[in-house]
Amino acid sequence: MTKTKLFLVPAVLVLAGLTTACGSNADTAEAAAPSEAAPAAAVDAAASAPATEDAASASPAATVEAAAASVPAPAAATVAALPLRRGYYVRSETPCNRASRADVFSLVTRTGTNLNCTFKKIEQTGATTYRVTEECSDGGAAWGREAGTETSTSTYEIPNETSYRVTYEGGSEASARYCAQSSMSDDYRDNDISDVIR
């Protein structure tokens, strides 16, 4: 019986020691887990820091862009006439003295182009750009058919007072330059256009 008691006491002590050791190891492991997680969290925070700085540095530019986008485009100014010298305009590639009926592109008058088109509205949309709404008569006794009218809007690019490039509603384009009447062929030289170009 004494031997049994003596054996039990060391066994209990050994078990108690193991329990204490295991509990101590568990506490150490639990304590170590947060300390290992802390560097990972620090790394994550460091990785996100540059992005935050970039976002902060981009904010003023983004604010400026947003402000610029919110500013309405300036309204087109309505003007009384196109800044073109009045008279005949011939296709750009044709010499004035060789201009045939097909080459004479337009007669710019005080009220429109040619004798059958009238400017209804002229808007300056840029330094040298104009949006022109004009009404043209189509037909009539001169053409041997019933008269009618057609309204269209074209864009004129006018770099100077003696040339222009026009883009029509359908997208087709043409360019023309001014020709003094005295420099043109006989078909146009003797026409009296003084009343429409004054």
Side-chain angles (χ1 to χ4, degrees):
M1 189 72 174
T2 304
K3 286 181 181 179
T4 303
K5 286 182 182 178
L6 289 175
F7 176 75
L8 285 176
V9 169
V12 169
L13 291 175
V14 168
L15 286 174
L18 288 174
T19 304
T20 304
C22 289
S24 173
N25 288 343
D27 291 344
T28 304
E30 288 174 6
S35 65
E36 289 173 3
V43 168
D44 290 344
S48 64
T52 304
E53 289 173 7
D54 289 345
S57 64
S59 291
T63 303
V64 169
E65 287 177 9
S70 66
V71 175
T78 301
V79 296
L82 291 175
L84 288 170
R85 188 177 299 175
R86 292 173 189 163
Y88 287 114
Y89 282 76
V90 172
R91 295 185 188 279
S92 297
E93 64 275 9
T94 305
C96 295
N97 62 354
R98 294 183 186 173
S100 66
R101 190 179 188 92
D103 297 315
V104 177
F105 194 72
S106 65
L107 171 61
V108 176
T109 71
R110 64 176 177 275
T111 58
T113 58
N114 302 317
L115 300 176
N116 65 320
C117 295
T118 304
F119 295 141
K120 304 309 271 184
K121 187 176 186 181
I122 303 172
E123 300 169 283
Q124 184 169 3
T125 58
T128 60
T129 308
Y130 299 81
R131 183 169 53 237
V132 178
T133 302
E134 60 184 340
E135 185 178 84
C136 297
S137 60
D138 180 22
W143 289 270
R145 58 181 183 268
E146 187 178 346
T149 58
E150 182 180 343
T151 302
S152 63
T153 302
S154 305
T155 300
Y156 283 75
E157 180 69 30
I158 305 176
N160 52 61
E161 67 169 4
T162 60
S163 66
Y164 67 83
R165 183 172 192 82
V166 60
T167 303
Y168 299 104
E169 283 183 343
S172 61
E173 298 181 345
S175 59
R177 74 179 192 291
Y178 173 80
C179 282
Q181 190 175 9
S182 60
S183 69
M184 297 186 68
S185 64
D186 294 341
D187 292 340
Y188 295 94
R189 191 181 301 141
D190 299 328
N191 287 346
D192 184 6
I193 58 173
S194 59
D195 60 329
V196 295
I197 64 171
R198 278 200 296 264

